[in-house]
Amino acid sequence: MSSTDMDTGPVLAADGTPLKKSLARALRRQKMRALMLIAPLLLFILITFLIPIGQMLLRSVDNEIVSATIPRTVQALEDWEFVEGGAPPGEAVFEQLYEDMLIATEQKIHTRLGSRLNYEMSGMSSLFRKTNERRLGRFDLEEPLAPQFADIDEDWLDPEVWFTIQSNSDTVTAGYFLAAVDLQRTPDGIESVPDFSAIYVKLFVRTIILSVTITFTCLILGYPIAWLLSNLPAKSANLLLILVLLPFWTSLLVRTSAWKVLLQQQGVINDILVWIGLVADDNRLALINNATGTVIAMTHILLPFMILPLYSVMKTIPPSYVRAAKSLGATDWTAFWRVYFPQSVPGIGAGAILVFILAIGYYITPELVGGTDGTFISNRIYYHISSSLNWGLAAALATILLALVMVLYWIYDRMVGIDNVKLG
Amino acid sequence: MTDCAVAHMNERDKRGRYLSDMTANDGFVTFDRVQKSYDGENLVVKDLNLSIGKGEFLTMLGPSGSGKTTCLMMLAGFESATHGEIKLDGVSINNIPPHKRGIGMVFQNYALFPHMTVAENLAFPLEVRKMGKDEREAKVKRALDMVQMGAFGGRRPAQLSGGQQQRIALARALVFDAELVLMDEPLGALDKQLREHMQFEIKHLHEQLGITVVYVTHDQGEALTMSDRVAVFNDGRIQQLAPPEDLYERPENSFVAQFIGENNTLGGRIEKIEGDVAEVRLHSGELISAFPVNVTQPGEETTISIRPERVEIDHTRLPADAHLIDAEVLEWIYMGDIFRTRLRVAGNDQFVIKSRNSGDQRKLKPGEKIKIGWAPMDARALDAS
């Protein structure tokens, strides 16, 4: 490059076009070809995975059901204002409610609205179920409607019921997210739910604490194995590696069930401890259906995910480093701690993040061995997806879990640096 | 020259004395009947006896698998001797762990700790010796200055070139005042020019500091350039232990002759031996005289070894008793400072001669028939191998 090129601005290619442009053109074909190679997988993931998950997560704020089922009522309610111990809305609102409910009961969608509003206030479900086509049919349209609704259920005159309808009439709601962190919206503002029903924050905290515990036990158990693997001669190392990978070839369910057999009070481990005399027969250890069981079983299941990244990093640390440290006067421990360990940190980083992220979303194992105090937030998500059918809350919990993982990942990146993570 | 170097200058005189009156019994480092086996079936080191004087620069030279690195590792303490005793300064070190031996070591790929800066690397051996901060810093600075790397203390090893890393590795092995420094092919990863430069630097440091160096290499040029003595290893044994000059000029067996420098061989049979002269009948029929080295009996098979630069095509430069022998030029290569000519001599068409590019040298053409000769002392009759 001559100095005149530098003076006249961008570097030009031989034909006078800017070099950057001509480089981009030259690389475009390559890029397109690369893109075509990954296109099938990309489309597959997009259509079957990312879009459905995105939609599912949107349910955490979606609230169209109220304004879609009783649109006129919602509109008429706009002018009404809730006062503690005050009056229910006026006759005009009940007229609109009658219109809306006629259509809703005919389409048989009023019960769905009932269960939706029941998440916000108990009793709403039965209120809407009772207000059915038959009862509405007997209404005398000449008379005021409010008392007739009250005949079906007194609650129709309760201002709090109307407050619930009013405050949930927007098409998006924060209600699921509030519920997911044990908060509720009351006429007095946002408040904590009563202690007996506050479970989600506790579950989130427990999920994180147990996941961290599992990550640490995996590290403590996995580190020596990985070290051994990387220092054994190839033949024995391969055999050991197969033993490490063996659990991968067995069904997760089978392994977890095996732990049930081993850990229960009349199980193999307790029997052995009693036989040795470490534990009294009438005081057998509770190793399962609690947090201990979850930690034991999940440590076993996730251990390979710690060992493999550690092993691949340790394999690249030449033995001459430790030798050099020793020749410089370091004891075995100093040589390990000051020289070997810092170089294995990228492996620890990779293993830890892998195990932690897998653990935080784990569900089958805690479900089977966790009992009541060893279950994770994911078990709750599953419950809301498949049993209580409160998908909005499930989506909110899942979104919070996802955000939590991302935040932890960000902190991790800040502290360890993601470039320091080596998977192989 | 640094203070440190000056301070060590006095030891240089001592070293000279040590070398002169050194005997096998009062070596600084001694290997006494050392054997090493990894698998219990084969001996990698067979009966090693070696005594290294204080202040000596000894090189272990040999092809890979000859046992030289194993010997070094046994001395450093990373391998244990299967049999025999290794002594340092009169004390058996067989059962002393490496970190208590106080031996400096330079590794093949330097083994500089990548997560520490250069200064931290150098401070490491001082830190583990619980040295105070001020003293540590002074020593690190002195060691860095010694290898002309004073400005690089804050860098990471990965930011240095190969030659710079080499200097740091050297400084690290020297910073804690080790009296014995081991070097395991330390220059193997450098390019030729830098390697030659570093050879002289290591040599000068050795002279300045009066340290004892045991150096392992498979590069014979390096061994000849740097060493006081060279131990040529093959097959787990020392084949010859001698100063570089003796090794090159007076190899004691055909392995050493082949391994050190370029070498022409001619096969033959001893006709008779009279003092310093052996008459040898080559397999092709010619009779030549040679210097008997490890042949004793007439009738014995022998290999005659002649250095390429000792072969003359200018007969006027030969002594009167030199034999002349027929040769046919096969190839003539211009190599700048020398000409290299490949000849067919007595049935051997890999016979090479080297002649200095002195201006009046004749350029030989392939196919040309000439007569060559050498002084009888330069043809060494060795064992047939």
Side-chain angles (χ1 to χ4, degrees), chain A residues 198-222:
Chain A
I199 50 166
Y200 297 116
V201 171
K202 214 168 73 188
L203 266 178
F204 273 117
V205 171
R206 184 201 288 162
T207 304
I208 290 173
I209 290 176
L210 286 186
S211 297
V212 168
T213 312
I214 289 161
T215 309
F216 265 100
T217 46
C218 278
L219 177 62
I220 288 163
L221 295 177

Short mmCIF file of all heavy atoms in Angstrom, two decimals, chain A residues 198-222:
data_model
loop_
_atom_site.label_atom_id
_atom_site.label_comp_id
_atom_site.label_asym_id
_atom_site.label_seq_id
_atom_site.Cartn_x
_atom_site.Cartn_y
_atom_site.Cartn_z
N ALA A 198 -47.76 -18.65 49.78
CA ALA A 198 -46.56 -18.14 49.09
C ALA A 198 -45.58 -19.28 48.88
O ALA A 198 -45.02 -19.81 49.84
CB ALA A 198 -45.90 -17.05 49.92
N ILE A 199 -45.41 -19.75 47.63
CA ILE A 199 -44.49 -20.88 47.42
C ILE A 199 -43.45 -20.60 46.35
O ILE A 199 -42.37 -21.17 46.36
CB ILE A 199 -45.25 -22.17 47.03
CG1 ILE A 199 -46.20 -21.86 45.89
CG2 ILE A 199 -45.96 -22.75 48.22
CD1 ILE A 199 -46.72 -23.14 45.24
N TYR A 200 -43.75 -19.67 45.43
CA TYR A 200 -42.90 -19.61 44.24
C TYR A 200 -41.53 -19.03 44.53
O TYR A 200 -40.52 -19.56 44.06
CB TYR A 200 -43.61 -18.83 43.13
CG TYR A 200 -44.87 -19.53 42.70
CD1 TYR A 200 -46.11 -18.97 42.87
CD2 TYR A 200 -44.77 -20.81 42.16
CE1 TYR A 200 -47.26 -19.64 42.50
CE2 TYR A 200 -45.91 -21.50 41.79
CZ TYR A 200 -47.15 -20.91 41.96
OH TYR A 200 -48.27 -21.58 41.61
N VAL A 201 -41.46 -17.95 45.31
CA VAL A 201 -40.15 -17.37 45.63
C VAL A 201 -39.30 -18.41 46.35
O VAL A 201 -38.13 -18.62 46.04
CB VAL A 201 -40.31 -16.10 46.48
CG1 VAL A 201 -38.96 -15.64 46.99
CG2 VAL A 201 -40.97 -15.00 45.66
N LYS A 202 -39.95 -19.10 47.30
CA LYS A 202 -39.24 -20.14 48.04
C LYS A 202 -38.70 -21.22 47.07
O LYS A 202 -37.57 -21.68 47.20
CB LYS A 202 -40.22 -20.77 49.04
CG LYS A 202 -39.58 -21.21 50.33
CD LYS A 202 -40.62 -21.54 51.38
CE LYS A 202 -41.33 -22.85 51.08
NZ LYS A 202 -42.47 -23.10 51.99
N LEU A 203 -39.56 -21.57 46.09
CA LEU A 203 -39.15 -22.60 45.14
C LEU A 203 -38.00 -22.13 44.26
O LEU A 203 -37.08 -22.90 43.98
CB LEU A 203 -40.33 -22.98 44.26
CG LEU A 203 -41.15 -24.18 44.74
CD1 LEU A 203 -42.32 -24.42 43.80
CD2 LEU A 203 -40.27 -25.42 44.77
N PHE A 204 -38.06 -20.87 43.84
CA PHE A 204 -36.97 -20.34 43.03
C PHE A 204 -35.66 -20.38 43.81
O PHE A 204 -34.62 -20.81 43.31
CB PHE A 204 -37.26 -18.90 42.59
CG PHE A 204 -38.04 -18.80 41.32
CD1 PHE A 204 -39.31 -18.23 41.30
CD2 PHE A 204 -37.52 -19.29 40.13
CE1 PHE A 204 -40.04 -18.15 40.13
CE2 PHE A 204 -38.24 -19.21 38.96
CZ PHE A 204 -39.51 -18.65 38.96
N VAL A 205 -35.74 -19.90 45.06
CA VAL A 205 -34.53 -19.88 45.90
C VAL A 205 -34.00 -21.30 46.09
O VAL A 205 -32.81 -21.56 45.94
CB VAL A 205 -34.84 -19.21 47.25
CG1 VAL A 205 -33.67 -19.39 48.21
CG2 VAL A 205 -35.15 -17.74 47.05
N ARG A 206 -34.92 -22.22 46.37
CA ARG A 206 -34.50 -23.60 46.58
C ARG A 206 -33.87 -24.19 45.31
O ARG A 206 -32.84 -24.86 45.36
CB ARG A 206 -35.69 -24.45 46.99
CG ARG A 206 -35.28 -25.88 47.32
CD ARG A 206 -36.44 -26.81 47.23
NE ARG A 206 -37.37 -26.62 48.33
CZ ARG A 206 -38.63 -27.07 48.30
NH1 ARG A 206 -39.07 -27.71 47.24
NH2 ARG A 206 -39.42 -26.87 49.32
N THR A 207 -34.49 -23.88 44.16
CA THR A 207 -33.95 -24.38 42.90
C THR A 207 -32.51 -23.91 42.72
O THR A 207 -31.63 -24.69 42.35
CB THR A 207 -34.81 -23.89 41.73
OG1 THR A 207 -36.14 -24.30 41.96
CG2 THR A 207 -34.32 -24.45 40.42
N ILE A 208 -32.27 -22.63 43.02
CA ILE A 208 -30.93 -22.10 42.81
C ILE A 208 -29.95 -22.71 43.82
O ILE A 208 -28.86 -23.15 43.45
CB ILE A 208 -30.94 -20.56 42.93
CG1 ILE A 208 -31.67 -19.98 41.72
CG2 ILE A 208 -29.52 -20.01 43.00
CD1 ILE A 208 -31.91 -18.50 41.81
N ILE A 209 -30.37 -22.78 45.09
CA ILE A 209 -29.45 -23.31 46.10
C ILE A 209 -29.10 -24.77 45.80
O ILE A 209 -27.92 -25.16 45.82
CB ILE A 209 -30.09 -23.20 47.51
CG1 ILE A 209 -30.13 -21.72 47.91
CG2 ILE A 209 -29.29 -24.00 48.53
CD1 ILE A 209 -30.81 -21.47 49.23
N LEU A 210 -30.12 -25.57 45.45
CA LEU A 210 -29.85 -26.97 45.16
C LEU A 210 -28.98 -27.12 43.91
O LEU A 210 -28.08 -27.95 43.86
CB LEU A 210 -31.15 -27.76 45.01
CG LEU A 210 -31.90 -28.05 46.31
CD1 LEU A 210 -33.10 -28.95 46.05
CD2 LEU A 210 -30.99 -28.72 47.33
N SER A 211 -29.24 -26.28 42.89
CA SER A 211 -28.44 -26.36 41.67
C SER A 211 -26.98 -26.01 41.95
O SER A 211 -26.07 -26.66 41.43
CB SER A 211 -28.99 -25.41 40.61
OG SER A 211 -30.29 -25.79 40.25
N VAL A 212 -26.77 -25.01 42.78
CA VAL A 212 -25.40 -24.64 43.14
C VAL A 212 -24.74 -25.78 43.92
O VAL A 212 -23.59 -26.15 43.66
CB VAL A 212 -25.38 -23.33 43.95
CG1 VAL A 212 -24.02 -23.09 44.56
CG2 VAL A 212 -25.76 -22.15 43.08
N THR A 213 -25.51 -26.36 44.85
CA THR A 213 -24.98 -27.49 45.62
C THR A 213 -24.58 -28.64 44.69
O THR A 213 -23.50 -29.22 44.82
CB THR A 213 -26.04 -27.99 46.62
OG1 THR A 213 -26.56 -26.87 47.31
CG2 THR A 213 -25.44 -28.96 47.60
N ILE A 214 -25.48 -28.94 43.75
CA ILE A 214 -25.21 -30.04 42.82
C ILE A 214 -23.97 -29.74 41.99
O ILE A 214 -23.11 -30.60 41.77
CB ILE A 214 -26.44 -30.28 41.91
CG1 ILE A 214 -27.57 -30.89 42.75
CG2 ILE A 214 -26.09 -31.18 40.74
CD1 ILE A 214 -28.93 -30.74 42.12
N THR A 215 -23.85 -28.46 41.54
CA THR A 215 -22.68 -28.08 40.74
C THR A 215 -21.40 -28.30 41.55
O THR A 215 -20.41 -28.81 41.04
CB THR A 215 -22.79 -26.60 40.31
OG1 THR A 215 -24.07 -26.41 39.71
CG2 THR A 215 -21.71 -26.24 39.33
N PHE A 216 -21.44 -27.92 42.83
CA PHE A 216 -20.24 -28.08 43.66
C PHE A 216 -19.90 -29.53 43.90
O PHE A 216 -18.73 -29.93 43.81
CB PHE A 216 -20.41 -27.34 44.99
CG PHE A 216 -19.84 -25.96 44.96
CD1 PHE A 216 -20.65 -24.86 44.77
CD2 PHE A 216 -18.46 -25.77 45.07
CE1 PHE A 216 -20.11 -23.59 44.69
CE2 PHE A 216 -17.93 -24.50 45.00
CZ PHE A 216 -18.76 -23.40 44.81
N THR A 217 -20.92 -30.33 44.20
CA THR A 217 -20.60 -31.75 44.45
C THR A 217 -20.07 -32.39 43.16
O THR A 217 -19.14 -33.20 43.21
CB THR A 217 -21.83 -32.52 44.96
OG1 THR A 217 -22.94 -32.17 44.15
CG2 THR A 217 -22.14 -32.18 46.39
N CYS A 218 -20.63 -31.99 42.02
CA CYS A 218 -20.12 -32.51 40.75
C CYS A 218 -18.66 -32.12 40.57
O CYS A 218 -17.83 -32.93 40.14
CB CYS A 218 -20.92 -31.96 39.57
SG CYS A 218 -22.44 -32.84 39.27
N LEU A 219 -18.34 -30.88 40.90
CA LEU A 219 -16.96 -30.40 40.73
C LEU A 219 -16.01 -31.17 41.64
O LEU A 219 -14.95 -31.64 41.21
CB LEU A 219 -16.90 -28.90 41.04
CG LEU A 219 -15.51 -28.27 40.97
CD1 LEU A 219 -14.96 -28.41 39.56
CD2 LEU A 219 -15.57 -26.81 41.36
N ILE A 220 -16.43 -31.32 42.90
CA ILE A 220 -15.55 -31.98 43.87
C ILE A 220 -15.33 -33.45 43.48
O ILE A 220 -14.22 -33.96 43.58
CB ILE A 220 -16.14 -31.85 45.29
CG1 ILE A 220 -15.97 -30.40 45.75
CG2 ILE A 220 -15.46 -32.80 46.26
CD1 ILE A 220 -16.84 -30.03 46.91
N LEU A 221 -16.41 -34.11 43.02
CA LEU A 221 -16.26 -35.51 42.64
C LEU A 221 -15.62 -35.65 41.26
O LEU A 221 -14.89 -36.61 41.01
CB LEU A 221 -17.63 -36.20 42.63
CG LEU A 221 -18.33 -36.31 43.99
CD1 LEU A 221 -19.70 -36.95 43.81
CD2 LEU A 221 -17.49 -37.14 44.95
N GLY A 222 -15.89 -34.71 40.37
CA GLY A 222 -15.45 -34.85 38.98
C GLY A 222 -14.01 -34.45 38.75
O GLY A 222 -13.33 -35.02 37.89
#
